[in-house]
Amino acid sequence: MLLPVNIAGTVQGSTNQDIKMFSFNLSSQKWQNRVLLVFAPSVDNNKYQQQMKLFDWHQNGFTDRDLVLVRVLATDKSYANGLPIDESSAANLRNRFGIDKENFRVILVGKDGGVKRQDTTPVEATAIFEQIDAMPMRQQEMHERSRQ
């Protein structure tokens, strides 16, 4: 499973330990992070389980690409990089992309807020990484990081 990374702009209210659910707003990620949305009916969904296995061992790849993993589940808790998000945030994401609760979908949203990829079956993390790495903004990021 992926470890939590900074998802700035998603926490509302107090930051003490009593807060269990967080609000996740896709627009708060714009120009900060790429977002990979995985929609599924539940954690028991076969496609969802396959997808999560394909992401195992790729945490560094997610981190290097400023990629936030958001798991939007209909009958279970939803998460953004391991942090639980509230029901209204999950419902808003489903509505925004028109994903029914019984459907599986993987959607990549770029830093510009645009949809870059949609899959209806599990997809290899490396295929997503290759697509991101070919993007002009990612090319610029890699160039800048190599100069530091």
Side-chain angles (χ1 to χ4, degrees), residues 1-138:
M1 288 297 144
L2 298 179
L3 300 173
V5 298
N6 182 20
I7 50 174
T10 61
V11 179
Q12 294 183 345
S14 172
T15 57
N16 68 29
Q17 298 295 351
D18 297 333
I19 301 290
K20 297 284 190 263
M21 299 296 242
F22 299 94
S23 175
F24 182 84
N25 185 334
L26 198 57
S27 63
S28 71
Q29 302 300 307
K30 195 169 183 178
W31 305 119
Q32 303 297 313
N33 295 302
R34 295 171 184 90
V35 179
L36 187 63
L37 299 156
V38 177
F39 294 92
S42 72
V43 294
D44 297 324
N45 178 268
N46 188 41
K47 287 182 180 179
Y48 175 80
Q49 290 180 355
Q50 289 175 23
Q51 187 63 74
M52 291 304 107
K53 285 180 185 169
L54 290 171
F55 290 161
D56 281 350
W57 312 109
H58 290 284
Q59 176 62 40
N60 289 341
F62 277 76
T63 303
D64 291 346
R65 290 165 182 84
D66 302 325
L67 190 57
V68 173
L69 176 64
V70 180
R71 297 177 278 167
V72 184
L73 303 169
T75 60
D76 298 299
K77 283 189 175 86
S78 297
Y79 293 88
N81 274 359
L83 300 174
I85 61 174
D86 60 30
E87 282 290 320
S88 64
S89 296
N92 288 341
L93 289 168
R94 282 194 178 284
N95 291 338
R96 178 171 179 167
F97 294 100
I99 310 297
D100 292 332
K101 289 186 174 188
E102 64 273 2
N103 289 341
F104 175 85
R105 188 78 41 90
V106 178
I107 299 175
L108 174 62
V109 178
K111 284 188 175 183
D112 64 357
V115 173
K116 307 301 180 188
R117 175 187 191 116
Q118 286 197 56
D119 294 279
T120 57
T121 58
V123 59
E124 292 278 352
T126 52
I128 294 167
F129 295 165
E130 287 171 7
Q131 184 169 354
I132 291 170
D133 290 348
M135 296 175 182
M137 189 178 296
R138 173 68 177 150

